[in-house]
Amino acid sequence: MTILITGGAGFIGSHFARRMVRRHHVVVLDKLTYAGNLENLKDIREDRELSGRFRFYKGDICNQELVDHIMSAENIDTIVNFAAETHVDRSILSASTFIDTDMKGVFVLLEASRRYKIKKFIQISTDEVYGTAHHGAFKETDPLNPSNPYSASKAGGDRLAFAYWKTYKLPIIITRASNNYGPYQHPEKFIPLFITNAIEDLKLPLYGDGKQERDWIHVEDHCAAIDFIIENGQDGEVYNIGGGNEKYNIDTALFILSVLEKDKSMIENVKDREGHDRRYALDCTKLKTLGWLPQINFEEGLRDTIKWYEMNVSWWKQIKNDEFKKYYQTQYNHRFACKN
Ligand code: NAD
Ligand code: TDX
């Protein structure tokens, strides 16, 4: 395979590139937004053998000319589209780039796939497109009911990809994973924010009552599932990818503090996220029946992740820079000011 990994300098995309470059030619296209980081790909770029099968392009998936150039110059036969604006809280502050990348960007990639007769296109969607799971767990056939600008724009990309299978018979598969955790996740997200704040002796801003539930999957398990789906999945199908680890946010926060031997008084209940989805839950029978199950135990995976953040302080300190501090003030000052 010669595989185009868009968003490959981000959290999940960089893990996926590391996995695939062992067996395939990998081309990464990434805009290097605040969330993209070439450090995440450093080990591949510095490895003599792996770097021979690896190419990096800095650019936007909305740029049709650039996408066309990469498709023909690199002879791409497979696309896995991770590129997205991904943080719900940022989408609530301003949705514009979410509409551009998560919807228009998908359109540009799909059109290029038609022109260049791609063999496989994986659209990385998310469990958030279903909205809150009031009871039970969502199946792939359940209706989409996104709650915030991020999940609504992802639902748009998800359904557009499906339409290109249905209308043009493009070989498209859509995946909807639950919340990922693991090394190299940007510290704006819940788990790395709480780990790094705890290390820095800063308060942990827990939204609302902290009784929201998330199903956590280790990023390596998620990448293994995508690899499996490329080989075994059916075109035109959607696959849920869950970790089977439904946890209250408060319990995850307490676990992080206990591993770091910090006091639970560091948690501060702050003003809730607008439109906050209370619970996510996925029914993954379809993927299980196909033959794939997650392997990584949540507590072990989270302990290892905490250790990774302790060992890689320079990686996240460089991200928690002045620009991040400005964002943090905008996002959190008012939350701390009107506690829950
Ligand atoms: P991330 O924010 O860490 O990485 C996104 C990457 O996309 C960054 O490297 C960024 O520079 C790049 N990018 C953004 N806009 C771009 C554009 N216009 N053109 C090219 N590159 C662009 O995100 P992540 O957590 O790694 O998520 C990757 C994908 O997985 C996303 O599509 C997300 O919706 C999906 N997903 C994430 C989770 C999760 O828990 N993190 C769960 C389910 C699905
Ligand atoms: O400071 C915080 N305090 C807090 O209580 C932050 C950043 C989050 N939270 C809560 C909100 C959620 O209930 O923690 C939970 C997880 O929050 P995020 O890390 O922002 O993730 P979430 O909103 O669940 O979305 C994630 O999973 C689905 C990813 O960011 C998406 O890209 C993915 O599609």
Side-chain angles (χ1 to χ4, degrees), residues 8 26 35-37 56 77 104 109 120 123 136 176 178 185 196 200 217 228 235 269 290 293 312 318 334:
V26 164
N37 187 350
F56 178 81
D77 53 51
K104 171 87 189 300
L109 294 174
K120 193 68 77 186
Q123 171 60 15
R176 298 182 186 144
S178 62
Q185 187 169 27
T196 57
E200 292 186 291
I217 184 166
F228 177 84
D235 293 345
N269 289 86
L290 198 65
L293 277 174
N312 290 276
Q318 196 203 328
H334 72 288

Side-chain angles (χ1 to χ4, degrees), residues 8-22:
F11 166 45
I12 308 172
S14 62
H15 282 272
F16 190 69
R18 193 170 296 108
R19 178 184 181 93
M20 298 309 271
V21 77
R22 288 189 232 130

Side-chain angles (χ1 to χ4, degrees), residues 320-338:
K320 278 185 139 181
N321 55 18
D322 287 346
E323 204 187 317
F324 182 86
K325 285 184 182 128
K326 238 198 257 166
Y327 158 77
Y328 196 78
Q329 281 176 5
T330 312
Q331 191 65 259
Y332 289 93
N333 277 3
H334 72 288
R335 293 194 193 284
F336 279 109
C338 56

Side-chain angles (χ1 to χ4, degrees), residues 6-14 29-37 59-62 81-87 100-102 105 123-127 150 154 175-181 184-186 188-189 216 222:
T6 59
F11 166 45
I12 308 172
S14 62
L29 168 61
D30 197 295
K31 192 177 169 183
L32 297 181
T33 67
Y34 78 93
N37 187 350
D60 193 330
I61 58 165
C62 299
N81 179 30
F82 291 94
E85 288 292 336
T86 62
H87 192 33
D100 290 342
T101 297
D102 302 8
Q123 171 60 15
I124 305 296
S125 186
T126 165
D127 63 354
Y150 162 70
K154 287 296 291 186
T175 64
R176 298 182 186 144
S178 62
N179 281 61
N180 283 227
Y181 71 98
Y184 296 107
Q185 187 169 27
H186 193 285
E188 69 188 354
K189 303 283 166 58
W216 295 99
H222 183 192

Side-chain angles (χ1 to χ4, degrees), residues 235-251:
D235 293 345
E237 293 293 324
V238 177
Y239 295 95
N240 286 343
I241 309 174
N245 299 298
E246 271 185 58
K247 305 284 173 199
Y248 288 122
N249 290 340
I250 176 73
D251 291 337

Side-chain angles (χ1 to χ4, degrees), residues 68-324:
D68 278 358
H69 167 74
I70 295 170
M71 296 295 279
S72 75
E74 301 289 346
N75 246 322
I76 302 295
D77 53 51
T78 302
I79 297 180
V80 183
N81 179 30
F82 291 94
E85 288 292 336
T86 62
H87 192 33
V88 173
D89 292 327
R90 289 189 194 250
S91 82
I92 295 168
L93 286 177
S94 169
S96 163
T97 52
F98 288 76
I99 309 303
D100 290 342
T101 297
D102 302 8
M103 293 172 73
K104 171 87 189 300
V106 178
F107 165 70
V108 169
L109 294 174
L110 290 167
E111 280 294 314
S113 302
R114 281 181 72 196
R115 279 193 295 279
Y116 291 91
K117 301 196 173 22
I118 209 82
K119 292 202 184 107
K120 193 68 77 186
F121 186 114
I122 310 286
Q123 171 60 15
I124 305 296
S125 186
T126 165
D127 63 354
E128 289 208 20
V129 296
Y130 296 113
T132 287
H134 294 289
H135 45 77
F138 286 119
K139 283 191 163 50
E140 289 84 349
T141 45
D142 280 323
L144 306 192
N145 195 15
S147 308
N148 56 65
Y150 162 70
S151 51
S153 64
K154 287 296 291 186
D158 178 315
R159 289 300 81 193
L160 193 63
F162 180 77
Y164 270 63
W165 174 75
K166 188 112 181 163
T167 310
Y168 305 112
K169 294 288 166 283
L170 275 190
I172 286 166
I173 296 177
I174 295 149
T175 64
R176 298 182 186 144
S178 62
N179 281 61
N180 283 227
Y181 71 98
Y184 296 107
Q185 187 169 27
H186 193 285
E188 69 188 354
K189 303 283 166 58
F190 174 62
I191 285 184
L193 180 71
F194 276 32
I195 297 171
T196 57
N197 274 15
I199 294 172
E200 292 186 291
D201 283 321
L202 298 172
K203 289 280 183 192
L204 313 190
L206 188 69
Y207 293 167
D209 62 2
K211 286 285 183 73
Q212 304 83 10
E213 286 171 83
R214 293 294 183 268
D215 169 19
W216 295 99
I217 184 166
H218 194 280
V219 63
E220 294 295 348
D221 265 340
H222 183 192
C223 291
I226 299 166
D227 192 355
F228 177 84
I229 287 167
I230 292 175
E231 302 289 342
N232 301 286
Q234 287 263 320
D235 293 345
E237 293 293 324
V238 177
Y239 295 95
N240 286 343
I241 309 174
N245 299 298
E246 271 185 58
K247 305 284 173 199
Y248 288 122
N249 290 340
I250 176 73
D251 291 337
T252 304
L254 287 170
F255 182 81
I256 290 169
L257 287 175
S258 76
V259 173
L260 289 170
E261 297 179 355
K262 301 270 181 170
D263 198 82
K264 58 184 182 204
S265 62
M266 291 184 76
I267 296 175
E268 194 147 327
N269 289 86
V270 299
K271 183 175 180 289
D272 206 351
R273 172 184 282 173
E274 296 83 352
H276 200 167
D277 284 327
R278 194 77 182 156
R279 175 169 174 262
Y280 295 142
L282 290 176
D283 180 329
C284 299
T285 310
K286 190 170 172 182
L287 191 54
K288 189 177 166 192
T289 307
L290 198 65
W292 189 87
L293 277 174
Q295 300 296 317
I296 301 173
N297 168 277
F298 180 63
E299 294 201 347
E300 264 173 49
L302 188 48
R303 269 180 208 285
D304 288 349
T305 301
I306 294 167
K307 208 174 289 160
W308 187 87
Y309 280 90
E310 286 186 295
M311 305 288 289
N312 290 276
V313 173
S314 61
W315 180 86
W316 55 264
K317 284 246 164 151
Q318 196 203 328
I319 297 172
K320 278 185 139 181
N321 55 18
D322 287 346
E323 204 187 317
F324 182 86

